[in-house]
Every structure is written in C-alpha cells, then in structure tokens.
Amino acid sequence: MSRFFILISIFIFSSQLRCQEVTDEMLIQNTLDNWHRAAGTADFESYFNLMTSDAVFIGTDASENWQIDEFKAYAKPHFDKGRAWDFTPLDRKVYINEKTDMAWFDELLNTQMKLCRGSGVLRKISGKWKIAHYVLSIVIPNENVSEVIQLKQEKDEMIIENLRKH
C-alpha cells in the first residue's frame, strides 16, 4: 500500500513540475502576444509596460539599436497617430532557463514588411515576464540574397567605413 502512495506522490510532484514549465511558457506567450497587440492598437503604455526599464530594441535598419528611452522617443509619434506597427505571430519557439527567471525566443511574423523574424530575451521581474531585448529582422529567401546585397551595398559600405573610424 505504501508503494502505491509513493508512486502517486512522485506522479503528482512531477506533474506539478511540468505544469510550472507550461505555465511559464504560457505567460511568456501571453506577454509577447499582448506586446504585439498593444503595438497594433497603438497602446503606448501597455506596450512599454511589457518591457524592462533597461530594454533594448534592435530594428531592421543598421542605425536602429535603441535603449528603451530612445525607442520610446522613436515610437511615440507612431503610437500618437493611432497606428504603430502590426505584427502577427505565425510561429514561435520559447526556451526557458532552469531557474525559470530568463527566457529567449524566436518568432516568424506577418508584418507590413511581409515576413519578418523577431527574437529576444525576457526576464521574470517580480513574477512577471518582461521583454529585455528584442531584435527584428526582415526574412530574405536564400535565392534572393545576391539581389538584396546589390541593393544595399552602397549604404552598407558607408556604414562599415563609419564604424571602422570609431
């Protein structure tokens, strides 16, 4: 009889551990979905409340490496117009560290720029998942890379030259 209770106890304990992982992943999914939704509805406060106070946003242009205050300044006029950007997640993978206080993810998004990839890091702060680092990139099919390189070559060379001077 005691073996039965031990087995049941082990099963319940292991189920609770799995539920904790699922719960964190669900919370992360919800955070990211709400973040994208807030941008789509131009809800500035909700959007930035889902980010850490030291967050970084890296956009598709080489110049877009923003600390949170810079990103807010950039984004505010877009949000004030009642439309920011509308990113709809199509696929997302989430990974959580063992301490369940940090997570990273990658996602494919349907956007006004067509298919894009987002990736980033979240931190759990006071029990809530917040976006600490986000990178947005435009997806380029491998068979079109040569064309894209030609298109951006001149601008890239100027940026490379300026960065080497520093």
Side-chain angles (χ1 to χ4, degrees), residues 115 137-149 152:
L115 200 57
S137 55
I138 297 173
V139 175
I140 301 168
N142 287 335
E143 60 269 18
N144 299 114
V145 169
S146 295
E147 298 164 55
V148 173
I149 290 170
K152 65 189 208 95

Side-chain angles (χ1 to χ4, degrees), residues 4-75:
F4 176 74
F5 288 115
I6 291 172
L7 289 173
I8 292 297
S9 297
I10 291 170
F11 174 76
I12 291 170
F13 180 73
S14 66
S15 295
Q16 288 174 336
L17 289 177
R18 281 194 303 265
C19 288
Q20 179 62 38
E21 289 174 352
V22 171
T23 300
D24 279 324
E25 182 168 344
M26 288 171 50
L27 291 170
I28 291 165
Q29 295 278 0
N30 193 44
T31 297
L32 293 168
D33 288 343
N34 288 338
W35 189 60
H36 289 310
R37 191 175 304 108
T41 59
D43 184 347
F44 186 86
E45 293 301 319
S46 294
Y47 185 82
F48 285 100
N49 284 338
L50 291 168
M51 299 177 80
T52 63
S53 62
D54 61 349
V56 175
F57 185 99
I58 299 176
T60 58
D61 189 281
S63 67
E64 297 175 331
N65 187 331
W66 289 308
Q67 303 303 306
I68 189 72
D69 290 335
E70 297 167 317
F71 186 47
K72 284 180 179 180
Y74 165 80

